[in-house]
Amino acid sequence: DAGVTQSPTHLIKTRGQQVTLRCSPKSGHDTVSWYQQALGQGPQFIFQYYEEEERQRGNFPDRFSGHQFPNYSSELNVNALLLGDSALYLCASSLRGSNQPQHFGDGTRLSIL
Amino acid sequence: GESVGLHLPTLSVQEGDNSIINCAYSNSASDYFIWYKQESGKGPQFIIDIRSNMDKRQGQRVTVLLNKTVKHLSLQIAATQPGDSAVYFCAENIHHDYKLSFGAGTTVTVRA
């Protein structure tokens, strides 16, 4: 039973560029959340997708956008990259509803030069 | 993650001893809590969860205790092993909210 898978594992971009990160949820899960984890910090919630729509958003600018596909997989897009966007980007999947355990992938390490 | 915090950023434990990792939360509306383990280069791994209608929950070698009166959560690991070395996070969720709020984490190092 495959867990949450993310691609790519590492990515290097320059300021001003755009990036797309991908996530496949754990089998049986229909909800995908994205988190940003800076070095030495806990993950910070970016947004959650359910039924192909953004259901909730954290305190991130609209340079961060996402998409969920009919097969429940998801993409995170970041435009106009800043140096401060360098972080580990984590995808978590769960069943619909609040108070559900979220299971994480191993993340994409994004470095901005 | 601002409302969830850990008492100690680091914990050093002798192999075979029991570990206790603490977490304080400030949002009284939080009703669901999860402990995660994150090893270097990996994503957070689910350990155990507890809902606010419970005070204690046990898993394999782990026990989570919830004290709603003082808004305190702890994770106990029995017979700590070298493979338990990692960063441990507590996360909270408010009912009808979908995000998890994380604290900064506790780094556990197991001494041989």
Side-chain angles (χ1 to χ4, degrees):
Chain A
D1 182 18
V4 178
T5 58
Q6 292 186 243
S7 63
T9 55
H10 296 84
L11 204 51
I12 300 175
K13 291 286 187 178
T14 57
R15 281 179 297 173
Q17 284 190 310
Q18 173 265 338
V19 68
T20 298
L21 310 181
R22 295 176 175 82
C23 172
S24 291
K26 182 175 176 172
S27 178
H29 285 180
D30 57 8
T31 301
V32 173
S33 303
W34 287 92
Y35 291 80
Q36 180 194 66
Q37 186 176 26
L39 204 59
Q41 304 289 323
Q44 296 290 317
F45 177 79
I46 303 175
F47 42 52
Q48 184 179 91
Y49 276 83
Y50 171 67
E51 291 189 335
E52 302 180 46
E53 291 191 357
E54 183 183 291
R55 176 156 71 174
Q56 185 174 357
R57 188 179 186 91
N59 188 25
F60 279 81
D62 58 11
R63 297 187 297 111
F64 291 76
S65 63
H67 189 77
Q68 186 180 34
F69 299 94
N71 66 352
Y72 308 123
S73 67
S74 177
E75 290 181 348
L76 165 65
N77 302 292
V78 187
N79 294 324
L81 287 166
L82 303 173
L83 292 177
D85 294 332
S86 294
L88 180 68
Y89 287 85
L90 294 162
C91 171
S93 73
S94 59
L95 295 172
R96 65 180 177 181
S98 61
N99 285 186
Q100 294 292 332
Q102 296 185 15
H103 296 267
F104 286 82
D106 286 337
T108 295
R109 173 68 63 188
L110 177 62
S111 299
I112 311 302
L113 303 179
Chain B
E2 295 79 9
S3 65
V4 177
L6 292 164
H7 291 306
L8 294 173
T10 61
L11 179 67
S12 181
V13 182
Q14 185 69 37
E15 182 179 355
D17 286 354
N18 296 334
S19 304
I20 299 177
I21 306 167
N22 294 305
C23 178
Y25 65 97
S26 59
N27 194 333
S28 57
S30 295
D31 62 356
Y32 179 59
F33 305 88
I34 305 177
W35 279 102
Y36 287 95
K37 171 187 179 184
Q38 187 172 24
E39 296 175 276
S40 181
K42 294 196 172 183
Q45 176 188 355
F46 175 91
I47 302 174
I48 192 168
D49 59 359
I50 188 166
R51 301 184 191 279
S52 60
N53 61 351
M54 302 174 71
D55 296 325
K56 179 180 179 179
R57 191 159 189 234
Q58 290 184 291
Q60 187 175 13
R61 274 200 314 120
V62 295
T63 300
V64 56
L65 299 177
L66 176 62
N67 185 329
K68 295 179 286 293
T69 303
V70 295
K71 300 194 193 74
H72 183 267
L73 190 70
S74 68
L75 178 70
Q76 301 177 5
I77 304 174
T80 310
Q81 303 169 358
D84 295 327
S85 293
V87 180
Y88 289 79
F89 292 98
C90 64
E92 64 176 318
N93 178 237
I94 301 170
H95 194 59
H96 295 308
D97 199 318
Y98 299 106
K99 70 177 182 185
L100 292 177
S101 296
F102 287 79
T106 292
T107 300
V108 173
T109 302
V110 180
R111 306 188 307 272

